[in-house]
Amino acid sequence: MQDMPENEEIKQLLAGAYLHYFHCVRIVEILKGTEASTKNLFGGYSSQRMKDWQEIVSLYEKENTYLAELASLLVRSISYEIPSLRKQISRCQQARQDFARREEECQLGAAELRERFFASCKQYGITGDNVRQELLALVKDLPALLSQIGAGASALSEAIELYQACVEFVCESSSEPVVPLLRYVGERGNTTVYEWRRGLQPLRVERPEVEEPKEEPKEDTIDWGDFTLEPAGAGDGAAADGGAQSDEIDWGITLEPSPQQDDGIDWGDGGGEEVQITVLEAGTEVPEGVACGSDALTLLENTETRNQFIDELMELELFLSQRLVEMEEEADVVAVSQFQLAPAVLQGQTSARVGSLLATARALLGQLCTRSMQHLFMILASPRYVDRVSELLQQKLKQAELLLAKRELMSQKREEALAEQAALEPKLDRLLEKTKELQKLIEADISKRYSGRPVNLMGVSL
């Protein structure tokens, strides 16, 4: 195979995947031109390579062996090699479609998570650049917002008087003042709980200390603590047990001789010493006029008084809405006769005025019951809530980043499938071309055996 003349066509024939009879015949024809100088008087060739290839051709032609080999090659190409390459190309195409679909799903999922992140940030009233710091900044602005809400309660004084007059008229007795906390906030503003309960302004306000949540450590750092390794003295161990090993652990426990007898029991009476018990009365440690603890918080900061304020505001809002419905409906005989003896405050109200008071009450209630305000109250009650919220929001961003990384991986795999398909398609084209050529050679050879009659191989579909 290596001892061949320099000829491009011979190189191409020998470089193929396999050699068959017609390749050998073509090589012999080429060697007849290159080895013409070795031809003798009897028509033979003295060249060894020529003799070898002629012997190969004669062995092929013996008992038509070459036809069996060519048929076997044709069947193998049609039944196995071509379908296998087509299946591989089909799998590559399917893989490309799957990877493209998953890539799009990852892109849409990441976009959805980011939208949910910014929607959650909008509910909290932050931009999302630094969730933790923005939430803490909102908590610092909370007292000013509550003061504005407390000042807005003064606009409900007329509604409160209307409610009071209606209750007194319906009950026909001097009842207690309705919505006392709402009335107080409307008159005095968002004062401290101490002033609301005692009626006096505190001389000094000692607000409870708020534990600032610590910054979360970075993910790549490990807190090993403050361990210090000190070598234990060899002399101490030797003195304790007379030459113990140096790696023994010192538990810090020492045995001291008891001053009592060996069989004595120490009942803890202190040897007859007197024990004094001091009882402190509750409230003696807090000076008079000092608001501390929960009393130092404002009415809208304290959870108990804030809930009471919201309940009274909702009570007033329900009264106004019911009163507006009654005034807008057609007056019946019972209602007209009932309110003829009502005070002037009730009879002089119009549906437009009651609707305006109702809108004011609902606006004030809406400011307190917004989603962002609820989260701010939770942060105020538990500073660690900031860490939980920031972790929850950052988790959405991390999931979006993971989906984007997965999208890049899907894109890479799609490109690999495309490259594999691009490498398989030329192989299939070459195999189809060689198979068609082999089919034509077999048909031509069989046709020679039957006086040139046309021969067509059936069952061959390429």
Side-chain angles (χ1 to χ4, degrees), residues 220-384:
D220 299 336
T221 60
I222 301 176
D223 184 8
W224 298 103
D226 298 331
F227 296 108
T228 56
L229 300 178
E230 297 180 356
D236 297 340
D241 53 1
Q245 296 180 359
S246 60
D247 57 351
E248 186 177 354
I249 301 175
D250 182 10
W251 299 101
I253 302 175
T254 58
L255 299 177
E256 297 180 356
S258 175
Q260 300 176 355
Q261 298 179 1
D262 296 338
D263 298 334
I265 299 176
D266 184 7
W267 297 101
D269 54 1
E273 296 180 357
E274 296 182 358
V275 178
Q276 296 181 355
I277 300 176
T278 305
V279 180
L280 299 177
E281 297 182 359
T284 56
E285 296 182 357
V286 181
E288 188 68 24
V290 177
C292 61
S294 60
D295 288 347
L297 298 175
T298 62
L299 291 171
L300 296 181
E301 287 178 345
N302 187 284
T303 304
E304 180 181 356
T305 54
R306 182 177 65 250
N307 292 337
Q308 181 181 351
F309 180 84
I310 293 175
D311 292 342
E312 293 181 0
L313 189 57
M314 293 177 65
E315 179 182 349
L316 181 63
E317 185 257 343
L318 289 175
F319 162 73
L320 293 174
S321 61
Q322 180 63 30
R323 182 59 184 152
L324 181 60
V325 171
E326 294 174 355
M327 295 178 68
E328 290 179 349
E329 290 180 351
E330 294 182 359
D332 53 5
V333 178
V334 178
V336 172
S337 61
Q338 183 179 7
F339 280 92
Q340 283 181 354
L341 301 177
V345 178
L346 291 176
Q347 296 184 4
Q349 294 292 337
T350 61
S351 59
R353 182 56 183 168
V354 175
S356 176
L357 295 176
L358 178 59
T360 303
R362 286 178 175 173
L364 191 63
L365 187 62
Q367 293 180 14
L368 275 175
C369 297
T370 58
R371 186 70 177 270
S372 60
M373 190 67 71
Q374 293 176 5
H375 287 299
L376 290 179
F377 288 143
M378 295 181 69
I379 295 172
L380 185 64
S382 175
R384 296 186 181 274

Side-chain angles (χ1 to χ4, degrees), residues 36 66 91 94 104 138 155 174 180 189 203 207 220 228 248 290 297 315 341 362 385 404 407 460:
Y66 70 94
R91 283 197 298 267
Q94 184 65 32
E104 184 178 0
L138 287 179
S174 58
L203 301 177
R207 295 178 62 86
D220 299 336
T228 56
E248 186 177 354
V290 177
L297 298 175
E315 179 182 349
L341 301 177
R362 286 178 175 173
Y385 181 73
L404 290 177
R407 183 185 67 84
V460 180

